[in-house]
């Protein structure tokens, strides 16, 4: 049990970060985290070392994200990184004055909300591919391996996701 | 739009991510030189990337990760203990006089029809239990009453409700029935005060309770309760089991992972106390203590780990 705790502690930060980025809800991220770790605990005895543990863990995390059903209601939804979350984290966003132009380096809370909404408007697979490629920096080959699909499929998801993000955010671009 | 053009259009996001082969990139650059539509498209995607790059995406707050870890440990411990929990509850109920099914059914039907009539079947004070633990049963209370559908033409109607009987027991801390209740309270007490007092009651016992449920509940509380005080009290109570290897493992887990630095200090002090009593860590645990000596953020914890190891620094 001690060894399992150690293994988990070494990798769990990455799991939580991906879950948080994907769902943008603290409660949903914790749910995903718990589900992933429980699956790892159950599956560890059968883990055959055909891949690295981190790769296996990443695949489980992605699959759980994709099948997760949010239990957050819109009236209680608190995004992880927003001024409203009130956790005083280093990611607090400054509110600029109303005269700031579109090229201003400061991003206001409203912009962040639009981006989050645009991401949430993508289908689960589109959102996952976009998150893994754009925010996590995984290659298309790695993403295809994780999602157990072809690179061509991943490219298609990425193309559609990019186009939809541009459509959703056209007023900000 | 021609098929060829559509092909180039789909390559645009990949171009920005550097996912094209050299040949593909050259072909696309040549196409971009001739196609204003694709140039506008790629500029639009560049602006999207630029917008996303300007948004700070900090790592999730550390506190939320710690909460997630605690929740996971609680869920894991619950999953591992599931059969025992069922036995604990069954044992808890079996320790007292069971309600006879026929009387229960009759009482529930009449209570559903008339609350006042139900009270006459279960007078206040209940029955006396000739056991070491005295049991007092209160009046049966009906809650969450619902009518399921309308009455049928045959005059039948379905009524659903919860029947709750408040109970109170009094007994000696050495009574196994009392210890089972305490174990349940340590883990399931609705507020931290209840869980804290339950763990404190175990600490106050003259000798360690033999019931496995008590020890398991304390280990679960020590590694996963959200309240610092409950985890501290559980640690104190677990020192009643010095020879138990799993307890020492749980203490090591606390040293490694508890988010409260004061509790990590308390845990390493507890480990040192056990060593002073003659309970030496085994090889696997020594390895973990070496890791603590090397990596813990607290100088005090590292120094204590060193003294536990008693090894010369190389």
């Amino acid at each position: 049990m001690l060894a399992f705790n150690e293994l988990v502690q070494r990798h769990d930060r990455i799991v939580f970060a991906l879950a948080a980025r994907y769902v943008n809800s603290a409660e949903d991220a914790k749910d995903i985290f718990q589900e992933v770790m429980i699956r790892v605990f159950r599956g560890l005895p059968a883990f055959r070392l055909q891949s690295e543990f981190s790769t296996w863990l990443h695949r489980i995390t992605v699959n759980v994200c994709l099948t997760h059903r949010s239990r957050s209601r819109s009236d209680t939804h608190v995004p992880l990184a927003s001024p409203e979350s009130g956790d005083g984290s280093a990611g607090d966003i400054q509110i600029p004055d109303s005269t700031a132009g579109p090229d201003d380096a400061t991003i206001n809370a409203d912009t962040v909300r639009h981006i989050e909404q645009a991401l949430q408007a993508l289908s689960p697979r589109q959102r996952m591919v976009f998150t893994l490629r754009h925010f996590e920096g995984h290659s298309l080959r790695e993403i295809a391996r994780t999602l157990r699909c072809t690179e061509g499929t991943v490219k298609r998801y990425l193309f559609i996701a990019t186009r939809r993000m541009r459509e959703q955010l056209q007023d900000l671009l | 739009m021609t098929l060829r053009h559509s092909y180039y259009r789909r390559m645009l996001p990949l171009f920005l991510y550097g996912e094209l082969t050299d040949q593909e990139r050259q072909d696309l650059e040549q196409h971009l030189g001739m196609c204003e539509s694709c140039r506008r498209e790629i500029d639009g995607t560049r602006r999207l990337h630029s917008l996303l790059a300007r948004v700070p995406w900090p790592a999730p707050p550390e506190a939320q990760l710690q909460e997630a870890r605690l929740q996971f440990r609680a869920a894991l411990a619950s999953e591992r203990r599931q059969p025992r929990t069922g036995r604990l509850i069954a044992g808890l109920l079996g320790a007292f006089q069971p309600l006879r099914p026929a009387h229960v059914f009759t009482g529930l039907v009449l209570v559903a029809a008339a609350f006042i009539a139900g009270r006459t079947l279960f007078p206040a004070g209940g029955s006396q239990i000739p056991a070491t633990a005295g049991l007092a049963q209160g009046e049966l209370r009906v809650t969450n009453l619902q009518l399921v559908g309308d009455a049928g033409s045959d005059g039948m109607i379905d009524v659903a409700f919860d029947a709750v009987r408040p109970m109170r027991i009094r007994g000696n801390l050495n009574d196994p029935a009392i210890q089972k209740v305490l174990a349940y309270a340590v883990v399931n007490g609705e507020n931290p005060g209840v869980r804290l007092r339950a763990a404190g009651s175990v600490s106050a016992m003259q000798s360690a309770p033999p019931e496995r449920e008590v020890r398991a509940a304390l280990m679960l509380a020590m590694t996963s309760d959200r309240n610092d005080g409950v985890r501290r009290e559980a640690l104190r109570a677990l020192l009643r089991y010095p020879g138990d290897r799993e307890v020492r493992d749980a203490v090591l887990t606390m040293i490694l992972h508890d988010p409260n630095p004061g509790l990590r200090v308390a845990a390493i002090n507890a480990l040192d106390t056990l060593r002073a009593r003659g309970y030496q860590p085994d090889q696997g645990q020594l390895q973990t203590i070496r890791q603590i000596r090397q990596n813990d953020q607290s100088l005090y914890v590292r120094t204590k780990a060193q003294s536990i190891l008693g090894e010369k620094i190389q």
Side-chain angles (χ1 to χ4, degrees):
Chain A
M1 191 62 195
L2 193 59
F4 174 74
N5 282 338
E6 280 309 295
L7 191 62
V8 160
Q9 195 85 355
R10 215 174 293 156
H11 297 275
D12 65 356
R13 193 176 298 274
I14 299 171
V15 171
F16 192 69
L18 176 54
R21 179 73 54 81
Y22 181 75
V23 290
N24 198 42
S25 153
E27 290 310 309
D28 287 342
K30 288 177 203 170
D31 286 349
I32 289 173
F33 179 87
Q34 184 172 302
E35 178 65 27
V36 169
M37 291 305 170
I38 291 284
R39 288 195 191 188
V40 167
F41 178 75
R42 288 176 188 161
L44 203 53
F47 177 54
R48 286 191 174 84
L49 295 174
Q50 286 174 348
S51 59
E52 292 229 2
F53 176 79
S54 58
T55 305
W56 180 60
L57 179 63
H58 188 252
R59 183 173 296 147
I60 294 175
T61 306
V62 167
N63 286 333
V64 171
C65 284
L66 287 173
T67 55
H68 175 72
R69 287 186 178 276
S70 172
R71 61 184 172 97
S72 299
R73 296 197 308 261
S74 57
D75 57 340
T76 59
H77 176 83
V78 177
L80 271 164
S82 76
E84 290 83 1
S85 64
D87 55 19
S89 67
D92 281 353
I93 298 161
Q94 296 180 342
I95 311 292
D97 63 73
S98 58
T99 59
D103 293 330
D104 196 291
T106 307
I107 298 294
N108 61 27
D110 210 40
T111 301
V112 174
R113 202 171 295 122
H114 275 109
I115 293 173
E116 289 167 0
Q117 285 172 354
L119 284 167
Q120 294 302 315
L122 300 174
S123 75
R125 287 201 166 245
Q126 290 164 9
R127 185 162 76 248
M128 180 54 74
V129 167
F130 192 84
T131 298
L132 290 176
R133 177 57 255 192
H134 188 86
F135 296 112
E136 302 278 317
H138 292 278
S139 70
L140 297 186
R141 180 176 298 180
E142 288 168 345
I143 296 170
R145 205 159 44 218
T146 300
L147 295 179
R148 297 187 191 273
C149 63
T150 64
E151 277 190 51
T153 301
V154 174
K155 288 176 184 177
R156 183 163 48 87
Y157 281 132
L158 184 63
F159 174 75
I160 297 171
T162 303
R163 190 184 63 193
R164 292 189 68 180
M165 289 288 289
R166 282 183 54 194
E167 288 168 0
Q168 296 274 329
L169 299 171
Q170 60 185 353
D171 293 339
L172 300 174
L173 298 178
Chain B
M1 187 184 292
T2 63
L3 281 175
R4 195 73 188 155
H5 186 87
S6 174
Y7 165 76
Y8 284 122
R9 182 64 64 91
R10 289 180 183 276
M11 286 168 72
L12 295 177
L14 309 179
F15 175 74
L16 293 178
Y17 288 124
E19 289 275 3
L20 298 178
T21 63
D22 288 344
Q23 186 61 53
E24 286 172 335
R25 194 177 66 252
Q26 283 176 14
D27 288 347
L28 179 61
E29 285 171 345
Q30 193 174 14
H31 175 79
L32 285 172
M34 297 181 295
C35 179
E36 188 183 344
S37 167
C38 282
R39 284 200 299 274
R40 278 201 305 271
E41 188 73 15
I42 201 170
D43 283 344
T45 304
R46 279 200 181 100
R47 287 197 299 275
L48 171 66
H49 287 196
S50 174
L51 175 68
L52 297 178
R54 298 205 315 263
V55 173
W57 299 106
E62 187 68 18
Q64 288 182 2
L65 174 59
Q66 294 300 339
E67 274 186 33
R69 284 171 174 162
L70 287 173
Q71 278 182 11
F72 160 60
R73 285 194 207 122
L76 181 64
S78 177
E79 167 157 323
R80 292 175 72 207
R81 290 180 66 241
Q82 191 60 38
R84 283 186 184 169
T85 303
R87 287 201 299 274
L88 168 67
I89 295 172
L92 176 66
L93 295 177
F96 310 115
Q97 183 180 6
L99 297 170
R100 281 171 285 178
H103 285 180
V104 170
F105 178 75
T106 303
L108 290 177
V109 168
L110 290 176
V111 165
F115 293 105
I116 296 176
R119 285 183 184 174
T120 63
L121 291 174
F122 296 94
S127 55
Q128 292 300 313
I129 307 299
T132 55
L135 169 68
Q137 301 178 43
E139 298 175 11
L140 196 66
R141 293 178 192 166
V142 171
T143 62
N144 196 26
L145 188 137
Q146 299 174 39
L147 298 178
V148 183
D150 297 325
S153 57
D154 56 357
M156 299 295 285
I157 189 170
D158 284 320
V159 182
F161 54 88
D162 297 333
V164 177
R165 182 187 295 280
M167 298 180 115
R168 181 170 174 170
I169 62 172
R170 177 179 170 80
N172 194 286
L173 286 172
N174 295 319
D175 189 322
I178 295 291
Q179 288 173 11
K180 285 184 196 291
V181 173
L182 285 177
Y184 187 82
V186 164
V187 176
N188 296 295
E190 288 181 359
N191 68 59
V194 170
R195 300 195 302 276
L196 185 66
R197 290 180 66 183
S201 299
V202 177
S203 297
M205 291 180 188
Q206 287 183 339
S207 58
E211 296 294 324
R212 287 182 61 83
E213 283 90 349
V214 176
R215 188 198 60 136
L218 289 170
M219 285 201 294
L220 176 61
M222 188 177 75
T223 56
S224 64
D225 197 285
R226 294 188 186 194
N227 183 281
D228 291 354
V230 173
R231 297 202 305 279
R232 181 187 296 274
E233 196 61 44
L235 171 65
R236 280 185 56 201
L238 279 169
L239 291 181
R240 316 305 300 280
Y241 304 89
D244 192 310
R245 187 186 183 280
E246 283 191 24
V247 168
R248 292 201 295 279
D249 272 348
V251 173
L252 282 170
T253 299
M254 192 179 206
I255 299 169
L256 286 168
H257 303 307
D258 198 285
N260 184 313
L263 286 178
R264 292 204 305 276
V265 167
I268 194 120
N269 283 339
L271 204 63
D272 198 27
T273 301
L274 293 176
R275 182 184 63 93
R277 288 195 212 166
Y279 300 100
Q280 300 293 335
D282 60 31
Q283 282 303 316
Q285 292 166 344
L286 284 172
Q287 189 60 32
T288 303
I289 297 170
R290 287 190 192 101
Q291 183 187 338
I292 293 167
R293 178 187 63 185
Q294 198 167 346
N295 298 325
D296 198 278
Q297 295 172 352
S298 160
L299 175 60
Y300 180 86
V301 171
R302 293 200 305 273
T303 306
K304 265 292 183 185
Q306 175 60 43
S307 75
I308 292 171
L309 288 169
E311 294 170 352
K312 292 183 182 171
I313 300 174
Q314 296 177 0

